[in-house]
Amino acid sequence: MKPFDIVIVGGGGAGLYAAMEAMKTNPALNIAVLSKVYPNRSHTSAAQGGANAALANKAKDDTVEMHIFDTIKGSDYLADQDAVEVLCSEAPKIIRELENIGTPWSRLEDNTIAQRPFGGAGRPRCCYCADKTGHTILQTLYEQCLKKGVIFFNEYFALNLSVNGSRSKGLIAMNMKTGAVEAFPARTVIFATGGYAKMYWNRSSNAAGNTGDGQAIAYRAGIPLKDMEFVQFHPTGLRKSGLLVTEGARGEGGYLLNKDGERFMARYAPEKMELGPRDLVSRSLETEILQGRGFDSPAGKYIHLDLTHLGADLIKSRLPQIREMAMNFEGVDPILEPIPVRPTAHYSMGGIDTDNYGRTVMEGVYAAGESACVSVHGANRLGGNSLLDILVFGRIAGHTAALEARKFEPSAISEDEVKDQLAELRSSMQPSGHYERYGELREELGQTMALNVGIYREASLLKKGIAEVLELKERFKKVRVADSSDVFNTNLLQVLELKNMLDLAETVAAGALAREESRGSHTRTDFPTRDDEKWHKHTMSTLVDGNVKLGEKPVTMGRYELQERTY
Amino acid sequence: MTVSTDQHNEAKRDVTFKVFRFNPQVDSKPYFDDYKIPVERGVTVLRALNYIKEHVDASVSFRAFCQAGICGSCGMRVNGISMLACTSQVWEVLAKSKEEGVIKVEPLRNLPLIKDLIVDMDPLVDKMKHYSNWVDSSMPEAEMGKKEFLVSEEEFLKYDKATDCILCASCVSECSILRANKEYVSPAVLLKSYRMNVDTRDSIHDLRLAELVKDHGVWDCTHCYRCQESCVKSIPIMDAIHGIREDALESRGMKDTSGAKHAEAFMSDIEKKGKLVEATLPFRTNGVLWTMQNLLPMAVKMILKRRTPPPPPMVKPSKGIKEFRGEFREMSEHVKQDHKSHKK
Ligand SMILES: Cc1cc2nc3c(=O)[nH]c(=O)nc-3n(C[C@H](O)[C@H](O)[C@H](O)COP(=O)(O)OP(=O)(O)OC[C@H]3O[C@@H](n4cnc5c(N)ncnc54)[C@H](O)[C@@H]3O)c2cc1C
Ligand code: SF4
Ligand code: SF4
Ligand code: FES
């Protein structure tokens, strides 16, 4: 295959914005987007709540500076402050740009883009389209990419980077429709493969494919990952499936009630109440449950999210998707009854370490979106800041790669390398003698992560978690792909995704054990306070001889000094 | 083991899933595999399929991603009707099964089959491209990001519902014209085209419309309503189709196209003969028997729901139509009666 200037792995919001921007920056470039699902199916479509930008449409006194402060404070001071500045200053521009190309934003009475309050934000600055914001953004970007003639390789599964010393030669991927392993020689590669919170499996709000493939590929190629221990739990996952009830429900005025009918957030965040930041609300829910004030059911303990007082009209017009989900997956109509919820693993703050331009340490390799860690979310992401992150840094990565691509000489990927990958794939998945079942390993991984590396963490549990993950990695060597077909072998893909999750799970658990403090989403019961002296720094994970090696990196300050975080 | 949402021992039912199987590498033609598994209340068809894949037969292939009815991956036919597997409850489907305790699962229709329950979506994407299913902004690229277009509630509401579409292709699978003509634009693409055409920020309305009125375009639709009835997001697709047609008739310059001419002639025809003539159209393309089997039930539904069928191309009277007219007269009598009793 002729070498590409840019190969973008991932067709979610980050990947598509990167593609669109790269085409705009230099239309002469040869750009391809590769995605394991049709781009419009990407997980960005699940984002319901909205994207933050200080447009000041709703609150006239909102400013970019306030957005910056809220984000840094929300991050528990672990975000890099120069990166946050980029994020928030670019926000109004990017939301308007999306509007200009057709995103159907909801509107205020004066016909400007609508905004609503969202957790951890000092002003109502979350721009939304009913409760289908991510879906409509993704549709718009996909449409624009089709318009621009972006070349898509849909249903291609990225396997590995092809590396020569410190340089990437391109990507090796499987065509899911044929099972063929193909080389994509490329001057530059951008990873935009989304998050890794699915390692918590049915205690996660994520799509089945949010398995951190890009992070795992980069990690295997020697690129460091950053702050992997920070996994955000969303307070309101549906009790049975982990699926998400968006913060929009609380933004519109929903109450969290314990079994005594008490609005317990009054005890944890008296001012912000239900709209406190996610980590705090999740911990509050977990505490209520642990202290016996939750409801009991065969499917586990839970809390009530009550919308009944909002009225049928508001629920139907502003929260239709939430209503549909509650009815489909819990059999509860929120107009009539409260929704049973509990915390669910939702977002991965950690990811591939990049600079503010999306560059990784490997020449010609970039990353953006949830798969990257710039870092703008630090120890805790604010609701509505992730869509913003994927758009802003997707665009920046696309722009940078387009400017830099021609700087790198293309190199060929040999046929032997491709053949070796295929052969290895085949033989490793057909062990002789005793074998392991994919489903069981995955179930056990989700279980051990939730129990030992969940919301409340502690040294003994974390050690147990690490040991179990390592054992699972061992057992994985004997996993069997029961389906032997070439065409659309979804069984094989699931196994490959599990491998990626296992590699990353080790970095999450190891990072969590090392970090002897509590910060943002990372809560150690044995180290309950933030320890700025020892731990005001990023955790770096590198793969050395098959296992994780931890390092560190300073946090970029410059705007706001460290403060205690209260709401 | 049981597929369950609760750890509790809830009532279970033995369900046989009759799953459509086809692997192009080894099979010369498709067949069905039966999987009998116990299923509790509250389990979706997708969860049941996942269970089969994990515990019974790992080679069963289907797409799924979000598991929450938002990504559009898991469209398939369950007991003959196209729907999302991840939002369909096994017990609910079971209640309507023809064969007691059996649920038949097949791939979507009208798109090329790849394997088992997986069909190729590329033709749909190609059509989206062909009909410019994007907003071609009236704002120059260099100006973008500086200010917002102001969009009123009224303008917004015109396309709001259409943007719910998740491209699951359920409507495509149910479309009666697509079965005969794979080139046909497709309901989802008509919907998207309409959504773009009513967006005040867009600048290529005329160009898009010009494509839509050509062969295989909007005039080929028979108004059978199957797409709308199967839409997993309850989008009023027919409003979009009517909208495009009205738009085409109103737009000067579009009148030269054969479709519009047919339609105009038909309009006057309708005035003379009454609205129900539309139901005779499918005869021309599909023959009497097919129409009786496939469209008549729809026509009855349409009439009962008092929808006004707008104009398809001219219909030449053909053999067999007399009988039909008789039936329709009866139906329209019925509708009138219905009207009266309703008014009381
Ligand atoms: C339920 C839910 C609600 C949310 N709500 C909000 C919200 O209201 N506001 C907000 O700001 N954020 C929200 N988020 C977070 C936000 O949606 C995500 O962080 C964001 O959409 C991630 O976008 P992305 O482009 O980085 O990745 P994704 O959209 O996940 O896309 C990843 C892409 O990579 C591709 N890919 C992955 N692996 C491979 C591989 N091996 N080979 C080829 N391709 C691959 C996939 O096919 C996909 O196209 C929400 C998240 C969830 C789970
Ligand atoms: S109404 Fe038209 S588009 Fe819809 S299914 Fe019938 S023929 Fe197809
Ligand atoms: S119109 Fe409805 S049925 Fe058709 S693709 Fe869109 S969501 Fe699916
Ligand atoms: S899996 Fe996404 S719609 Fe069913």
Side-chain angles (χ1 to χ4, degrees):
Chain A
M1 200 179 284
K2 187 165 154 265
F4 287 95
D5 292 303
I6 306 176
V7 166
I8 298 167
V9 193
L16 294 182
Y17 223 118
M20 194 171 80
E21 185 66 23
M23 294 283 276
K24 211 156 136 183
T25 307
N26 185 353
L29 294 181
N30 187 10
I31 299 167
V33 176
L34 210 119
S35 177
K36 67 178 173 183
V37 295
Y38 277 83
N40 54 301
R41 316 256 184 252
S42 302
H43 199 55
T44 295
S45 64
Q48 302 165 327
N52 296 333
L55 292 172
N57 286 354
K58 179 86 179 175
K60 300 294 172 204
D61 63 344
D62 195 14
T63 62
V64 168
E65 195 56 47
M66 288 167 83
H67 188 186
I68 294 177
F69 176 71
D70 288 342
T71 303
I72 292 173
K73 180 182 170 193
S75 81
D76 221 346
Y77 297 87
L78 194 69
D80 289 313
Q81 302 196 357
D82 53 346
V84 174
E85 188 179 335
V86 174
L87 179 82
C88 303
S89 332
E90 287 290 304
K93 188 175 163 227
I94 209 140
I95 296 299
R96 284 190 206 112
E97 189 170 295
L98 274 175
E99 193 280 336
N100 297 160
I101 58 175
T103 305
W105 297 109
S106 294
R107 301 285 168 162
L108 295 172
E109 271 172 15
D110 65 358
N111 299 346
T112 56
I113 296 170
Q115 298 185 286
R116 64 177 160 214
F118 230 49
R123 292 288 180 277
R125 70 168 73 93
C126 186
C127 310
Y128 62 94
C129 172
D131 54 6
K132 51 180 177 184
T133 314
H135 163 72
T136 57
I137 290 178
L138 189 66
Q139 292 291 339
T140 306
L141 290 173
Y142 186 46
E143 288 153 14
Q144 293 298 314
C145 284
L146 291 179
K147 169 168 177 269
K148 282 195 175 305
V150 172
I151 303 167
F152 285 103
F153 290 88
N154 292 330
E155 309 201 306
Y156 271 70
F157 188 95
L159 294 169
N160 274 314
L161 269 177
S162 167
V163 181
N164 184 5
S166 64
R167 274 272 299 135
S168 139
K169 296 189 288 183
L171 194 80
I172 297 180
M174 176 183 283
N175 179 346
M176 292 159 58
K177 280 180 196 154
T178 62
V181 173
E182 298 174 17
F184 288 79
R187 290 181 151 101
T188 62
V189 175
I190 303 177
F191 286 106
T193 51
Y196 54 83
K198 198 62 189 177
M199 64 174 67
Y200 290 80
W201 206 248
N202 62 8
R203 285 180 187 79
S204 166
S205 66
N206 284 199
N210 279 21
T211 48
D213 299 353
Q215 294 90 321
I217 293 171
Y219 179 61
R220 286 197 292 266
I223 299 171
L225 306 178
K226 185 162 74 190
D227 293 339
M228 293 296 283
E229 64 271 32
F230 294 100
V231 175
Q232 180 173 74
F233 284 79
H234 194 290
T236 54
L238 289 180
R239 159 192 54 176
K240 290 182 179 175
S241 54
L243 292 172
L244 189 81
V245 181
T246 154
E247 214 155 301
R250 282 170 289 136
E252 296 291 352
Y255 296 153
L256 289 170
L257 305 175
N258 63 19
K259 74 167 191 224
D260 307 323
E262 180 199 8
R263 265 181 91 186
F264 56 83
M265 283 312 296
R267 276 185 275 119
Y268 303 94
E271 223 175 281
K272 289 255 159 73
M273 295 292 286
E274 278 85 358
L275 289 177
R278 281 198 184 146
D279 55 338
L280 197 139
V281 182
S282 289
R283 279 199 302 277
S284 309
L285 254 92
E286 192 80 356
T287 308
E288 289 296 305
I289 290 173
L290 287 176
Q291 295 182 353
R293 289 189 294 278
F295 297 85
D296 232 332
S297 82
K301 295 189 166 54
Y302 63 95
I303 288 290
H304 272 163
L305 172 60
D306 191 0
L307 307 181
T308 52
H309 58 286
L310 298 178
D313 286 350
L314 189 140
I315 293 175
K316 280 187 193 157
S317 67
R318 303 268 188 89
L319 306 164
Q321 274 193 17
I322 290 177
R323 177 161 179 248
E324 209 179 290
M325 278 176 67
M327 297 203 296
N328 279 336
F329 302 105
E330 288 286 346
V332 160
D333 183 348
I335 293 176
L336 308 172
E337 286 173 81
I339 310 171
V341 295
R342 68 172 174 201
T344 184
H346 180 54
Y347 182 82
S348 34
M349 266 77 72
I352 304 169
D353 177 38
T354 73
D355 68 10
N356 292 350
Y357 294 90
R359 302 185 191 104
T360 70
V361 296
M362 188 177 283
E363 271 192 355
V365 179
Y366 307 75
E370 196 172 333
S371 63
C373 179
V374 184
S375 130
V376 289
H377 309 301
N380 174 52
R381 164 187 79 107
L382 291 189
N385 262 0
S386 169
L387 281 179
L388 183 62
D389 169 21
I390 67 172
L391 302 168
V392 168
F393 289 97
R395 175 163 71 179
I396 291 177
H399 188 71
T400 315
L403 292 179
E404 297 181 347
R406 292 283 163 95
K407 216 172 76 181
F408 305 114
E409 278 307 312
S411 29
I413 299 174
S414 74
E415 258 177 49
D416 286 347
E417 196 177 336
V418 175
K419 270 194 206 135
D420 289 351
Q421 286 256 341
L422 184 64
E424 194 189 315
L425 217 84
R426 283 287 132 91
S427 63
S428 64
M429 303 297 183
Q430 296 299 337
S432 49
H434 166 78
Y435 68 87
E436 295 282 349
R437 298 176 75 103
Y438 150 78
E440 275 167 26
L441 296 185
R442 187 206 63 208
E443 220 62 48
E444 285 178 39
L445 175 65
Q447 189 85 358
T448 187
M449 290 307 286
L451 295 180
N452 303 313
V453 200
I455 296 187
Y456 285 114
R457 301 167 171 185
E458 180 212 310
S460 62
L461 289 178
L462 288 166
K463 281 181 189 150
K464 187 160 166 261
I466 293 174
E468 287 180 7
V469 169
L470 290 178
E471 195 194 307
L472 286 170
K473 274 178 81 166
E474 253 333 280
R475 284 170 58 194
F476 179 84
K477 291 179 181 159
K478 283 277 179 191
V479 78
R480 187 165 147 248
V481 177
D483 182 359
S484 58
S485 66
D486 291 325
V487 178
F488 241 103
N489 190 335
T490 45
N491 185 214
L492 169 62
L493 299 172
Q494 288 176 321
V495 169
L496 291 171
E497 289 174 340
L498 175 62
K499 177 174 162 52
N500 292 336
M501 290 196 287
L502 283 168
D503 281 349
L504 298 184
E506 191 190 351
T507 68
V508 175
L513 177 63
R515 189 175 281 274
E516 297 185 331
E517 66 158 353
S518 291
R519 183 187 298 272
S521 70
H522 171 71
T523 308
R524 288 282 298 258
T525 48
D526 44 356
F527 296 94
T529 53
R530 200 173 82 189
D531 184 350
D532 288 326
E533 212 168 295
K534 277 204 207 132
W535 286 104
H536 186 239
K537 58 189 179 193
H538 298 295
T539 307
M540 305 293 280
S541 314
T542 322
L543 183 69
V544 178
D545 300 329
N547 287 103
V548 62
K549 182 168 172 286
L550 297 179
E552 58 184 65
K553 194 175 173 176
V555 177
T556 311
M557 301 292 281
R559 280 187 102 90
Y560 294 101
E561 289 308 310
L562 287 160
Q563 284 174 33
E564 203 200 328
R565 187 166 157 260
T566 52
Y567 284 92
Chain B
M1 260 181 85
T2 315
V3 208
S4 68
T5 48
D6 289 338
Q7 286 112 40
H8 225 47
N9 269 344
E10 279 187 21
K12 286 172 208 150
R13 288 188 189 173
D14 280 336
V15 184
T16 302
F17 286 85
K18 223 178 216 334
V19 181
F20 181 100
R21 303 300 308 271
F22 177 71
N23 178 356
Q25 278 183 303
V26 289
D27 302 325
S28 54
K29 57 176 199 284
Y31 59 96
F32 285 89
D33 267 334
D34 288 359
Y35 304 99
K36 192 168 178 180
I37 58 169
V39 183
E40 294 178 358
R41 180 190 292 285
V43 171
T44 60
V45 172
L46 179 62
R47 283 186 59 135
L49 287 174
N50 277 331
Y51 179 88
I52 292 170
K53 188 169 178 68
E54 259 163 49
H55 299 277
V56 190
D57 182 348
S59 71
V60 178
S61 304
F62 49 91
R63 289 194 187 99
F65 199 62
C66 71
Q67 304 166 70
I70 180 67
C71 76
S73 297
C74 66
M76 55 185 76
R77 278 186 304 141
V78 180
N79 278 347
I81 303 169
S82 306
M83 57 179 84
L84 298 177
C86 72
T87 57
S88 305
Q89 297 282 331
V90 171
W91 278 33
E92 278 174 28
V93 174
L94 216 51
K96 287 180 239 154
S97 280
K98 272 191 219 117
E99 204 178 328
E100 172 106 17
V102 176
I103 293 180
K104 200 170 180 185
V105 190
E106 296 162 282
L108 294 180
R109 268 193 304 230
N110 297 335
L111 289 164
L113 180 63
I114 294 179
K115 181 191 184 188
D116 296 351
L117 302 171
I118 300 173
V119 295
D120 192 355
M121 290 285 164
D122 283 348
L124 197 58
V125 177
D126 290 341
K127 285 176 186 168
M128 285 167 57
K129 283 199 243 181
H130 181 84
Y131 292 95
S132 308
N133 279 185
W134 46 71
V135 166
D136 196 326
S137 182
S138 57
M139 188 179 285
E141 222 165 56
E143 290 304 304
M144 286 186 181
K146 293 180 188 157
K147 62 171 201 294
E148 304 171 20
F149 285 105
L150 296 180
V151 177
S152 70
E153 172 92 2
E154 192 192 338
E155 289 170 312
F156 169 75
L157 287 177
K158 279 190 192 154
Y159 54 73
D160 178 36
K161 197 64 194 150
T163 63
D164 283 359
C165 172
I166 56 173
L167 288 174
C168 67
S170 290
C171 58
V172 172
S173 166
E174 294 293 322
C175 176
S176 41
I177 288 303
L178 270 170
R179 278 185 81 179
N181 174 17
K182 298 285 177 284
E183 308 272 299
Y184 174 57
V185 46
S186 302
V189 175
L190 283 174
L191 177 74
K192 272 184 97 70
S193 304
Y194 175 75
R195 172 253 175 277
M196 302 301 162
N197 264 357
V198 294
D199 196 317
T200 45
R201 299 167 293 186
D202 174 69
S203 65
I204 55 165
H205 165 278
D206 292 358
L207 198 131
R208 204 177 285 114
L209 193 58
E211 271 316 300
L212 287 166
V213 297
K214 285 185 185 159
D215 286 353
H216 316 303
V218 68
W219 299 116
D220 284 15
C221 165
T222 62
H223 290 248
C224 70
Y225 275 82
R226 291 175 79 128
C227 53
Q228 175 156 323
E229 270 154 14
S230 64
C231 175
V232 303
K233 291 281 160 187
S234 312
I235 303 171
I237 306 177
M238 293 311 297
D239 287 0
I241 296 176
H242 292 175
I244 297 174
R245 288 188 169 194
E246 278 162 27
D247 192 8
L249 288 173
E250 276 165 26
S251 287
R252 275 149 59 84
M254 297 289 163
K255 295 213 172 186
D256 300 340
T257 67
S258 55
K261 271 185 192 146
H262 276 150
E264 277 200 338
F266 194 78
M267 286 286 245
S268 60
D269 197 50
I270 280 177
E271 275 162 29
K272 282 180 219 137
K273 295 183 194 159
K275 286 176 175 161
L276 296 177
V277 180
E278 158 153 47
T280 56
L281 162 76
F283 276 107
R284 199 189 51 163
T285 35
N286 302 305
V288 180
L289 204 65
W290 186 91
T291 306
M292 300 262 280
Q293 282 171 349
N294 293 282
L295 291 187
L296 191 56
M298 278 299 149
V300 176
K301 264 193 236 167
M302 265 166 64
I303 291 162
L304 293 179
K305 287 180 185 172
R306 292 181 215 101
R307 282 164 178 152
T308 314
M314 269 288 280
V315 185
K316 276 206 195 101
S318 67
K319 263 193 186 172
I321 253 184
K322 256 191 193 155
E323 257 178 77
F324 234 89
R325 284 200 178 133
E327 290 194 55
F328 268 110
R329 233 169 275 132
E330 256 173 51
M331 275 188 247
S332 58
E333 278 309 311
H334 183 84
V335 171
K336 273 185 210 153
Q337 293 283 329
D338 192 41
H339 256 294
K340 278 183 203 152
S341 62
H342 228 78
K343 272 181 191 152
K344 274 177 208 164

